[in-house]
Each structure stands twice: as C-alpha cells, then as structure tokens.
Amino acid sequence: GDGFVCARHLKFFGYDVTLLCPKPGRGTLLENLRRQMDIVGVPVLSEPTATGPEFYQQYGLIVDGIFGHSFRPPLRDPFTTMIQNICDSRVPIVSIDIPSGQHVEQGLISEPAVRPDILVSLAGPKLCAQQFAGKHYLGGRFVPPCVQEMFAMELPAFPASDPCVLLHE
C-alpha cells in the first residue's frame, strides 16, 4: 500500500506518475487505494509496456514500493524479472521502508534485490537499513512518544514541520 500512497502524494505535488502493479493485492484497503489511483488520474499498469530495462528508462526516478515488511525471500516471477529489470535500468531508485527483494531484518540475502540510491524508512529504520550506505531518510511522524518509550526507540527530532529527517548521506 505504501507505493499507492506515495503515487497519490506525488501526483498531488504535480509529478507525472505511473504505477506498475503486476499482482493486485487483496482486501478492502488495497481495493480502495487502487480506486484512488483512478480518481486522481494515476495510470496503473499490470505489466510493463516494453520488455527489459528499457521500459524503466523512460522515467527519471523509480520509487520502489513493491513489497512491505512481511516479504520473505526468495522472489518469484513476475517479481524476479521485474526487479532485475529495474536494477539493470540504471534509473535512480528510492525505496520505501525496505528495498524490494531484501529481508526486513537480514537485508540483502539473495538476488535480485533492489539496491536503492535513497532509502526512506517509515516509523523507524528496520534492521536491514544497517547495511544501507546511501542517503537515508526517516519519513513520517508516526510513532507517539509513549510507544517510543515503551520500545526504547531513539528517533531523531524532526526539524520544524518537516515530514522527514535526513539520517545519513
């Protein structure tokens, strides 16, 4: 669902957005997110309109929101081919929370897997982020102080009203 939410926000900010969703998820939440794409005018493709990495090269940026924290390797098609083509495209990649194909705790344990230029962690960095060497942001102000205290979370302060904070470059 994070990819849908990101696509909607980017569209509201005036960006030209296309969403690639090769296997639609099930459930009311994902159905509603999919409906929102129609309402705000974001095209949703079930498969690339061209083969190989060339499809992705028409875009200036890829936002990777393919899998969430529940993903466990290994990849299966159509995702194996899709992620390999994304990696081969050489288009800059921003991953939401966990780079697709990586394990939430162990990080890169099999190929193919997205190796983003930028990682935006949501709520707090996941263990896989310890292996990440690129520009890393913490996005959203999702964790109430009582929860931070309960789990001994040490989150940075967000500057002013910014929705994200740079963790490292």
Side-chain angles (χ1 to χ4, degrees), residues 63-126:
V63 176
D64 162 36
I66 301 169
F67 299 117
H69 63 274
S70 61
F71 171 76
R72 299 288 182 264
L75 284 172
R76 290 173 287 288
D77 271 329
F79 300 105
T80 306
T81 302
M82 181 179 167
I83 289 176
Q84 187 62 59
N85 287 334
I86 287 171
C87 295
D88 291 345
S89 74
R90 303 288 187 235
V91 175
I93 301 169
V94 175
S95 286
I96 303 171
D97 217 17
I98 302 153
S100 291
Q102 295 194 27
H103 188 277
V104 66
E105 294 174 349
Q106 300 169 13
L108 186 61
I109 59 173
S110 63
E111 296 284 353
V114 173
R115 295 171 189 222
D117 301 281
I118 298 173
L119 176 61
V120 180
S121 292
L122 301 177
K126 312 308 179 275

Side-chain angles (χ1 to χ4, degrees), residues 5-17 40-43:
V5 173
C6 181
R8 183 183 68 220
H9 283 283
L10 289 172
K11 182 69 174 181
F12 288 161
F13 282 115
Y15 290 95
D16 186 20
V17 179
V40 301
V42 172

